[in-house]
Amino acid sequence: MSPEFLWYIPNTVEPGHRGDDTTDGWGSIEYSTDLARTAERHGWGGALLGTGWGRPDTFTVATAPAARTTTFKPLIAVRPGYWQPAQFAVAAATLDQLSRGRVLVNIVSGLDNLAAYGDTRGDPAQRYARTQEFLRLVRRLWTEEDVAFAGEHFQVSGSTAAPRPWTTAGRAHPTLYFGGASEAAERVSAAEADVQLFWGEPLAALAERIDRLRKLSDQVGRRHRPLEFGLRITTVVRGTTEEAWRAAEERVARMAAGPSDELTWTGNRKTAVGQQRLYDLAARGEMLDTCLYTTPGTVGGGGAATTWLAGSAADVATALDNYRGLGITHFVLSDTPYQQEIIRIGDQLLPRLR
């Protein structure tokens, strides 16, 4: 299976996201499209566009780079509760047809400002049960006629989505990515996701999770192709190992000195199981495995910016190859400034991985 290498495009109108020093253009079609075109030119398959209340609508933003590129695949983050599954299935299939099969979907179940957009499912068990129904129903709407579904959270009858997604040999619909480290989240992935996304944990921890998810897929009676695995992580790449660590330590020092734009991650820092797993790593050491840097999480880094892979292109390529050895085939990488690092990491790192 060929690996998928994706970048990250910040979906925000405010400058300074995760330390990016770009001052103009944030939130404009031109800025997002320029990032996508740069990614396309420098070897990236596409990019993740994050979601969160108070940000631009991710799906709407994704249409601009899809329209102005030829191979770029937007990985569009969406939330059940904000979207109804039938509405989303048609919208995604429409963009997939228009882009000739380039849509990827990242389903997000973590807490957000639920009350702001009228979501009443704050209980984790309810949210994950709803997500499982959402994934199951969207997949059926993409592939079946006259769908009837009566679940706890969603109901449809006589539902046929038109248009259908763009299909090719081996591809019936957009790939469905999903993340989460709790037991409930892993059961959703094992049953209904195409790709389980991990954050940057040590190799042994992810090997254990992959083994558990594979066994869980059998236990829940998975009806789809075998679950695939992905890694979403910050990558600090420089010409030498020493330069990379100096850059990483300087950034951490700036984060520790005052309010940091690393705090723009909007997930639930206090109770999210996956986030707590990352925070706990710092107690085991500043650097784990070959170049997994844990200190950012102690000074405000969250989500994919909690742990970083820092080193030369050779160092980081070795680390990512080690993750590939576990069976991870999807990679969503990033660093700031976004425009500069799309080029640096694309040109220096991706050829080593391919």
Side-chain angles (χ1 to χ4, degrees):
M1 181 183 301
S2 299
E4 181 81 84
F5 296 104
L6 306 175
W7 188 249
Y8 173 78
I9 291 180
N11 181 24
T12 174
V13 297
E14 298 296 331
H17 187 267
R18 290 186 173 164
D20 192 304
D21 58 4
T22 306
T23 57
D24 298 322
W26 289 78
S28 68
I29 288 177
E30 291 73 20
Y31 183 67
S32 295
T33 299
D34 187 45
L35 289 177
R37 286 173 167 168
T38 303
E40 191 174 63
R41 288 195 302 269
H42 291 273
W44 300 95
L48 169 66
L49 290 88
T51 186
W53 186 255
R55 298 186 188 186
D57 175 70
T58 311
F59 198 90
T60 305
V61 170
T63 62
R68 298 187 179 187
T69 55
T70 56
T71 62
F72 175 89
K73 290 178 279 191
L75 175 52
I76 306 168
V78 299
R79 290 180 180 274
Y82 182 86
W83 287 89
Q84 288 291 312
Q87 174 197 22
F88 174 75
V90 171
T94 300
L95 183 56
D96 198 51
Q97 276 284 340
L98 293 173
S99 66
R100 295 302 187 260
R102 288 188 281 134
V103 169
L104 306 171
V105 177
N106 182 34
I107 304 296
V108 180
S109 285
L111 285 176
D112 192 10
N113 188 354
L114 305 184
Y117 55 90
D119 190 359
T120 60
R121 299 295 191 270
D123 177 71
Q126 286 187 321
R127 284 189 291 110
Y128 285 114
R130 180 178 65 183
T131 296
Q132 186 160 343
E133 285 190 9
F134 186 94
L135 285 163
R136 182 181 303 163
L137 183 50
V138 165
R139 193 190 297 268
R140 288 188 61 192
L141 288 164
W142 280 340
T143 59
E144 299 177 20
E145 300 285 336
D146 197 26
V147 174
F149 182 87
E152 180 183 353
H153 304 278
F154 302 113
Q155 299 82 37
V156 300
S157 61
S159 187
T160 299
R164 289 283 195 237
W166 182 263
T167 59
T168 60
R171 182 192 191 269
H173 55 71
T175 302
L176 294 164
Y177 291 69
F178 180 71
S182 68
E183 180 179 353
E186 289 189 344
R187 292 186 71 85
V188 172
S189 277
E192 299 296 342
D194 293 319
V195 179
Q196 161 76 41
L197 271 180
F198 302 120
W199 281 330
E201 296 188 45
L203 292 162
L206 291 190
E208 179 183 334
R209 291 187 62 191
I210 288 170
D211 182 63
R212 182 168 63 248
L213 281 158
R214 285 173 171 160
K215 292 176 179 176
L216 192 57
S217 293
D218 292 333
Q219 294 172 17
V220 299
R222 181 178 176 87
R223 301 178 302 278
H224 316 300
R225 289 183 176 182
L227 182 64
E228 299 175 21
F229 305 100
L231 179 70
R232 168 72 185 104
I233 193 168
T234 297
T235 44
V236 181
V237 175
R238 297 294 186 272
T240 67
T241 304
E242 294 73 22
E243 289 172 348
W245 280 97
R246 186 160 56 248
E249 289 168 350
E250 287 173 355
R251 186 180 305 173
V252 163
R254 291 194 300 270
M255 292 166 62
S260 169
D261 289 307
E262 299 287 342
L263 296 175
T264 53
W265 184 67
T266 57
N268 185 359
R269 293 170 181 269
K270 295 182 179 179
T271 62
V273 173
Q275 183 64 72
Q276 288 304 312
R277 287 175 67 96
L278 297 188
Y279 285 155
D280 292 345
L281 294 176
R284 294 171 48 187
E286 185 174 62
M287 184 177 74
L288 304 177
D289 292 340
T290 58
C291 61
L292 183 66
Y293 189 33
T294 66
T295 305
T298 69
V299 293
T306 312
T307 57
W308 307 343
L309 292 175
S312 66
D315 295 334
V316 176
T318 296
L320 293 174
D321 273 334
N322 289 336
Y323 284 112
R324 286 172 69 177
L326 301 179
I328 293 173
T329 54
H330 301 254
F331 297 89
V332 185
L333 312 179
S334 68
D335 193 20
T336 57
Y338 290 106
Q339 181 75 257
Q340 172 183 308
E341 296 307 319
I342 287 172
I343 298 170
R344 186 208 305 267
I345 297 174
D347 291 354
Q348 296 182 15
L349 178 64
L350 293 187
R352 294 175 179 270
L353 296 169
R354 293 195 170 106

